Amino acid sequence: MEIYWYLTAPDGPQPWTASGSRQVNYAYFQQVARAVDHLGFTGALLATGAHDPWILGASLIPYTERMKFLIAIQPGLISPTLLAKMAVTFNQFSKGRVLLNVVSGDKNTLGAYGMHLDHDERYALSDEFLRVLRPLLAEQQVDFDGDHYQISAAKLALSNGGYPPPSLWFGGSSAAAQEVAAQHIDTYLSWGETPPQAAEKIAEVKARAAKYGRQLRFGIRLYVIVRETDERAWQAVDELYASMDDKAIQARQQLAQGSDSVGQARMGALHNNQRPDNARDLEIYPGLWAGIGLVRPGPGTAIVGSPQTVERTLRAYQDAGVEVFILSGFPLLEEAYRFSELVMPLLDVTRDESPAADRHDTFTWGNLWDRPVSEVEPK
């Protein structure tokens, strides 16, 4: 499987509260990126948020060697030709480590950018955008005449530098979204639904893709709360839940008000905007907790438990057809270490093992005592 972490603000022990939020600046992003890079993760998602994901990702290339950058892009806010130029430049400079997450958005967020299209029209625009973008990424010339884009003799002046073209990732639960994914996308993403729900959706998208003679990979975005035992993990849930007051819940509801996102509606249905007295009442599947969705938009489900329980839940998703996991915890930095130390040893994680990444010596306390004193003591 592939395991990606998250590299987007806000962050902190309870980032939906003022006291639990952490300052997220360039120095902090460097820390998280370095952690992702050397802890064994496949890469990280740079989602839409307060910081521009392109500038953030490009600025972190020199601080990383192995991690893939999964960068969110939004059709309609940028020309597909310009986006292709940016992506291929990034691909060259990062030595083939960029991936593109196509985000069609919803009317709430896109209205701020002056884009006002209804739900299905946004996916029609995404369809045209991808018909232009994909061949450009493959260093081909494009002429295209559509409802949203009229492109004449577009061809990039640079290549991918010998690396594969950036692959295309995409999420969307509606029929219109699934149809776009079936035709153009390499990896289809879902938010934190249960393994049976994921299996059902994967079957639907596979059937759509088969009509076009295509095969897709499948991924899911989840939170994770792992501790040494199940009991301690649920104690950590209780601590998070205690910080989810009415103010934080109302802020999330206000943000989602009027949204036409089908995926967001599916997430909301897992908790129905209700805060029961007992956090465990929001366990929607063994070891899967929907409480995060009360205070955070987007994916609102967390895998909870001991390393063995978390592994078991990941395997359940894998059995459902999921190959890629995008995970995160609160805070990002500490939980990246916790997950890597407790869970990663139980998994066979695919990541880039380029020669450039292997030129550096590694040092662990475990092999210190096998070295001569002259190599250990400072001089």
Side-chain angles (χ1 to χ4, degrees):
M1 63 178 67
E2 296 182 9
I3 304 287
Y4 290 73
W5 201 244
Y6 197 59
L7 197 57
T8 304
D11 193 29
Q14 300 99 29
W16 46 86
T17 68
S19 61
S21 297
R22 173 174 291 175
Q23 182 184 15
V24 179
N25 54 23
Y26 185 41
Y28 184 67
F29 278 126
Q30 289 177 28
Q31 285 185 288
V32 180
R34 286 177 184 271
V36 170
D37 197 55
H38 84 264
L39 288 176
F41 293 94
T42 310
L45 169 62
L46 285 67
T48 57
H51 300 86
D52 179 78
W54 279 106
I55 294 174
L56 175 60
S59 73
L60 295 173
I61 291 174
Y63 297 96
T64 58
E65 293 182 315
R66 288 178 170 141
M67 64 170 277
K68 301 281 189 181
F69 292 86
L70 178 55
I71 297 182
I73 63 173
Q74 292 187 278
L77 302 187
I78 188 172
S79 154
T81 307
L82 177 57
L83 190 283
K85 183 177 182 180
M86 294 164 61
V88 171
T89 302
F90 196 116
N91 210 29
Q92 273 196 11
F93 292 179
S94 68
K95 300 181 180 180
R97 293 191 287 132
V98 67
L99 312 165
L100 304 178
N101 184 34
V102 182
V103 179
S104 296
D106 70 3
K107 67 179 183 180
N108 285 0
T109 56
L110 294 177
Y113 294 92
M115 181 175 163
H116 302 279
L117 297 174
D118 64 26
H119 179 277
D120 287 1
E121 194 64 21
R122 288 198 306 275
Y123 286 103
L125 181 145
S126 294
D127 175 75
E128 292 190 7
F129 185 92
L130 291 167
R131 291 181 188 278
V132 175
L133 177 65
R134 191 173 191 106
L136 285 174
L137 294 175
E139 304 171 18
Q140 301 170 13
Q141 180 171 312
V142 175
D143 292 275
F144 184 83
D145 185 15
D147 294 331
H148 298 280
Y149 295 105
Q150 293 79 44
I151 306 292
S152 301
K155 193 175 192 307
L156 301 184
L158 69 164
S159 73
N160 284 287
Y163 299 99
S167 65
L168 300 174
W169 300 39
F170 182 91
S173 295
S174 67
Q178 292 184 11
E179 194 66 18
V180 172
Q183 295 180 68
H184 305 295
I185 297 303
D186 302 304
T187 302
Y188 176 85
L189 296 173
S190 294
W191 283 340
E193 298 165 331
T194 66
Q197 289 172 324
E200 181 180 354
K201 187 188 288 186
I202 286 171
E204 292 174 359
V205 178
K206 277 186 174 180
R208 291 181 184 272
K211 294 188 305 182
Y212 301 100
R214 303 188 70 244
Q215 292 183 335
L216 281 62
R217 300 193 315 155
F218 295 89
I220 195 162
R221 167 79 177 98
L222 294 156
Y223 293 92
V224 61
I225 303 171
V226 60
R227 298 295 186 268
E228 288 77 5
T229 65
D230 288 338
E231 181 181 12
R232 289 184 181 180
W234 284 104
Q235 288 173 354
V237 167
D238 288 337
E239 292 175 9
L240 285 177
Y241 198 56
S243 71
M244 298 178 183
D245 57 15
D246 291 341
K247 182 179 179 180
I249 294 172
Q250 289 169 5
R252 203 282 307 169
Q253 291 176 350
Q254 185 175 5
L255 190 65
Q257 190 173 9
S259 172
D260 57 357
S261 167
V262 174
Q264 189 63 72
R266 289 169 72 99
M267 286 292 95
L270 298 178
H271 53 70
N272 291 318
N273 291 318
Q274 300 297 315
R275 188 187 186 282
D277 292 336
N278 187 348
R280 197 73 183 258
D281 290 343
L282 291 176
E283 186 178 14
I284 57 173
Y285 181 87
L288 205 59
W289 186 62
I292 301 292
L294 289 171
V295 291
R296 293 290 294 135
T301 312
I303 301 175
V304 179
S306 67
Q308 293 73 27
T309 297
V310 171
E311 181 201 9
R312 187 165 57 248
T313 306
L314 292 172
R315 300 295 185 195
Y317 279 110
Q318 200 172 35
D319 291 343
V322 175
E323 302 171 61
V324 179
F325 297 88
I326 303 175
L327 306 175
S328 66
F330 305 111
L332 290 171
L333 184 60
E334 289 89 328
E335 293 303 313
Y337 274 90
R338 194 192 303 270
F339 183 88
S340 74
E341 292 167 354
L342 295 179
V343 185
M344 288 283 224
L346 306 177
L347 307 174
D348 183 15
V349 179
T350 302
R351 68 181 309 214
D352 182 17
E353 297 295 348
S354 62
D358 292 332
R359 284 199 294 265
H360 302 285
D361 244 354
T362 58
F363 174 85
T364 64
W365 288 106
N367 62 19
L368 182 150
W369 309 115
D370 297 328
R371 299 185 178 188
V373 173
S374 60
E375 295 182 14
V376 176
E377 292 184 346
K379 298 177 180 178

